[in-house]
Amino acid sequence: DTAVSQTPKYLVTQMGNDKSIKCEQNLGHDTMYWYKQDSKKFLKIMFSYNNKELIINETVPNRFSPKSPDKAHLNLHINSLELGDSAVYFCASSQGIVQMTDTQYFGPGTRLTVL
Amino acid sequence: AQKITQTQPGMFVQEKEAVTLDCTYDTSDPSYGLFWYKQPSSGEMIFLIYQGSYDQQNATEGRYSLNFQKARKSANLVISASQLGDSAMYFCAMRTQGGSEKLVFGKGTKLTVNP
């Protein structure tokens, strides 16, 4: 009965490869997000989707492409991986975008290591 | 611009004592929400408590309470009766009406509870 799940939990890959991270939420939420946590633990928004529509794209390189096939899923595809992409990527979801009280619930994170 | 500042990189507390984790914020938006998250060593992000800018009372959730001082733009987290399991990173985050749906995070405070 996991609320927000991500796969895989760990991802180790070579520079230049393409990889995807999948996210699913069973909370019935309308809005989903991708955050990146760097090696210093700093968390920053990357993307947000509301009802499958992109609403935030926070100056992320276009090697990163989110895809939302439906409201419950938001996947992140990364092309031509670079060393600097190594980080923990968190998916999150919230009920919506209208209420200030809409809490974002996070998945367990995916630790990406680029060699 | 929205900004969250957590000035304490690390804090130590004895088991069963109370501890305050500092958070100051900067926004010109009159409507905003403040969130605290806990990140244990296992890596997941756990929502703890929420305070809205128009809330008249300080938020409380079990052993967690928020010392919200609007004029000082501070939203300090108070953990009462610390437990060993409280050892973790704690992040303060803000969402504003004009800042879309994203959460802006502080750099976090690492709390260590000593037996």
Side-chain angles (χ1 to χ4, degrees), chain B residues 39-103:
Chain B
Q39 187 176 38
S41 58
S42 49
E44 71 269 32
M45 293 286 290
I46 302 166
F47 166 69
L48 295 178
I49 195 167
Y50 164 83
Q51 179 82 46
S53 59
Y54 294 120
D55 292 345
Q56 295 296 312
Q57 294 191 329
N58 287 342
T60 60
E61 284 288 346
R63 295 186 298 111
Y64 304 109
S65 61
L66 236 157
N67 183 359
F68 180 47
Q69 298 189 45
K70 196 169 180 177
R72 293 186 178 184
K73 293 192 173 180
S74 74
N76 299 337
L77 177 70
V78 180
I79 305 174
S80 62
S82 296
Q83 301 172 357
L84 295 178
D86 293 335
S87 293
M89 284 289 290
Y90 288 81
F91 292 95
C92 180
M94 175 172 64
R95 177 187 168 189
T96 64
Q97 193 76 51
S100 191
E101 303 72 23
K102 66 182 181 184
L103 285 175

Side-chain angles (χ1 to χ4, degrees), chain B residues 24 31 34 59 63 68 72 107 114:
Chain B
T24 57
S31 178
L34 296 156
R63 295 186 298 111
F68 180 47
R72 293 186 178 184
K107 292 185 177 180
N114 294 317

Side-chain angles (χ1 to χ4, degrees), chain A residues 11-94:
Chain A
L11 189 51
V12 181
T13 188
Q14 298 287 333
M15 246 184 1
N17 283 351
D18 303 338
K19 290 293 178 186
S20 291
I21 306 172
K22 294 187 176 181
C23 177
E24 177 181 1
Q25 54 94 4
N26 62 5
L27 296 167
H29 287 168
D30 288 340
T31 311
M32 296 184 73
Y33 312 80
W34 278 109
Y35 286 85
K36 179 180 180 181
Q37 186 175 41
D38 64 22
S39 58
K40 295 185 178 178
K41 300 283 191 180
F42 185 62
L43 271 150
K44 191 164 186 235
I45 184 79
M46 298 175 68
F47 300 103
S48 174
Y49 272 73
N50 185 57
N51 281 321
K52 301 194 298 174
E53 287 192 26
L54 180 67
I55 50 173
I56 296 177
N57 181 342
E58 197 78 358
T59 59
V60 177
N62 57 16
R63 297 183 295 104
F64 290 79
S65 52
K67 280 193 170 52
S68 182
D70 54 57
K71 280 196 326 182
H73 296 84
L74 179 62
N75 304 322
L76 183 65
H77 189 76
I78 316 170
N79 289 327
S80 303
L81 278 155
E82 300 177 357
L83 293 176
D85 297 332
S86 294
V88 180
Y89 292 84
F90 284 98
C91 177
S93 74
S94 66

